[in-house]
Amino acid sequence: MPRSIELFLSLIILVGLTLAAFALDSGKLSKSLALGALFGLVLQRSRFCFLCHTRDFFSNRDVRGIAAILLALGVGTLGYHVILTTWLPDPGAGRLPPDAHIGPAGPLLAFAAFAFGIGMAISGSCISGHLYRLGEGSPTAPFALLGTLAGFGAGFLTWNTLYVASIATTPVVWLPAYTGYAGWLLGQLALLAALAALFARFASPPVSQPDIRGATPLRHALHRIFIARWPATAGGAAVGVIAAVAYFQVQPLGVTAAIGSVARSLLAHAELLPETLHGLDGFAGCRTALVTGLSPNGAFVVGLVLASLASALVAGQFTPAWPTAGQALRGVGGGILLGWGAMTAIGCTVGTLLSGTIAGAASGWIFLAASFAGVWVTLKILPTR
């Protein structure tokens, strides 16, 4: 595609997103669209991806991506701490923060997160990664997202059985209720720092970035902003800030509620959805609902994909390709595990892991450890790109 057309299309997308944000009647819809666009821009420019960062560490001991994830959790924790202490001054009062991603913390969550990790390794990314790569023209992403939709459908069909067997008796653990805000904040930041130090011990020297010799300062700056990959730590810090702002302005960060709502609506239309989904609608997190219009999470996802497309066009990274049979199979197969794991865990790496951990949920740490283990096991047995 000619460079001028790429830049023109990017401009059209960005102008369209801006006009749509102003035109939407609901304050939550317009804010969600804007935040989703900002999130998609950060993901695409910094290549922030839970699977890729983990795989980079396992493959060549590149610790920068892991540092970005830990930084996102640290920055988000600081932001949430300010919000939570304002909204709920006494964490021991027996109430949970409104809408925060705090879910059941038990063995089923660990199993679902482990399955999610396997799905990440097979399909090549987490759900948020597939969404921003959809904007880059990834041949695998459409199949992975279709598989995710099917996986959510399977999750709805297995929910009642699993709820009765495990979820109903699993405690919802919010750490500040036991430690107080100060103990939770200091403990969480100390743990993140300890993990960063641990991973740093195994790190290899980073590969140097290409230099633009002879470039003017302006050209160099424009290249660093719009073409070159942003530093991983910059992306991680930005993700943490966006997570806190999203919780304060609209709702906790997450990307699966809209996908789950589509799956739930399709099952209901086909008369396959159980008449009652025991306890599901009582949990916070990436909740699904039967919707007839654009939801705030739907607006967020639309903004994410379109902003990623605009960013990829500017950077010359929109590279659509015809999928191979292997890419399609890995996408669908991994996507099914992603969808089932996310539905059963009531969220994914963005919802349960990121938003849950920075809100003080024990479920976030369980998801982090179990999904990391799922990726590690799968890459050991079946290395994938």
Side-chain angles (χ1 to χ4, degrees):
M1 185 184 300
R3 190 75 179 126
S4 59
I5 294 181
E6 288 181 331
L7 295 176
F8 177 73
L9 289 176
S10 177
L11 179 62
I12 292 296
I13 292 170
L14 293 176
V15 170
L17 283 171
T18 303
L19 294 176
F22 280 108
L24 289 171
D25 294 332
S26 169
K28 281 193 173 184
L29 285 179
S30 60
K31 290 177 182 177
S32 293
L33 182 66
L35 286 167
L38 184 59
F39 193 57
L41 174 66
V42 169
L43 295 186
Q44 200 284 323
R45 291 283 66 241
S46 66
R47 316 302 296 171
F48 188 92
C49 169
F50 289 91
L51 181 275
C52 300
H53 291 337
T54 305
R55 186 175 56 201
D56 286 346
F57 176 76
F58 287 144
S59 300
N60 51 31
R61 292 297 185 261
D62 186 346
V63 78
R64 289 173 294 176
I66 295 293
I69 295 173
L70 297 175
L71 185 59
L73 294 174
V75 171
T77 296
L78 291 172
Y80 262 62
H81 179 265
V82 174
I83 298 169
L84 295 176
T85 53
T86 302
W87 287 358
L88 190 62
D90 181 9
R95 292 183 292 127
L96 295 176
D99 296 327
H101 285 216
I102 305 169
L108 181 60
L109 169 64
F111 182 76
F114 187 81
F116 189 94
I118 296 174
M120 282 199 292
I122 291 174
S123 69
S125 189
C126 58
I127 296 174
S128 61
H130 284 305
L131 287 171
Y132 89 72
R133 285 180 176 151
L134 188 66
E136 295 179 335
S138 164
T140 305
F143 295 96
L145 293 171
L146 286 174
T148 299
L149 192 66
F152 261 92
F156 286 120
L157 297 178
T158 60
W159 173 264
N160 284 342
T161 299
L162 296 175
Y163 181 84
V164 172
S166 176
I167 300 173
T169 56
T170 300
V172 174
V173 180
W174 185 45
L175 298 175
Y178 299 91
T179 64
Y181 283 125
W184 162 66
L185 178 65
L186 293 175
Q188 182 136 309
L189 294 180
L191 179 54
L192 291 171
L195 288 172
L198 176 63
F199 280 107
R201 290 187 59 186
F202 300 96
S204 297
V207 179
S208 60
Q209 295 293 322
D211 189 19
I212 308 176
R213 299 191 181 278
T216 64
L218 177 60
R219 181 168 177 261
H220 182 75
L222 292 175
H223 184 273
R224 291 293 300 271
I225 295 172
F226 296 106
I227 307 298
R229 176 179 176 175
W230 290 358
T233 49
V239 166
V241 171
I242 293 171
V245 172
Y247 182 46
F248 182 71
Q249 290 291 329
V250 186
Q251 60 188 18
L253 210 59
V255 297
T256 60
I259 298 173
S261 294
V262 172
R264 187 170 178 174
S265 299
L266 289 174
L267 284 177
H269 182 73
E271 298 183 350
L272 296 175
L273 188 71
E275 184 175 344
T276 301
L277 292 168
H278 301 309
L280 178 61
D281 295 329
F283 289 117
C286 292
R287 292 174 294 185
T288 59
L290 298 174
V291 295
T292 56
L294 183 65
S295 66
N297 191 251
F300 184 90
V301 170
V302 169
L304 190 165
V305 174
L306 291 179
S308 172
L309 171 59
S311 176
L313 287 168
V314 171
Q317 294 167 353
F318 177 65
T319 54
W322 193 258
T324 65
Q327 288 171 326
L329 288 173
R330 287 197 302 271
V332 172
I336 290 173
L337 290 172
L338 290 174
W340 182 86
M343 190 277 151
T344 306
I346 322 178
C348 63
T349 44
V350 175
T352 300
L353 194 163
L354 177 66
S355 295
T357 302
I358 63 181
S363 54
W365 284 105
I366 293 173
F367 194 102
L368 173 63
S371 60
F372 189 87
V375 169
W376 181 78
V377 168
T378 307
L379 293 181
K380 285 290 186 181
I381 296 174
L382 181 66
T384 56
R385 291 192 67 233

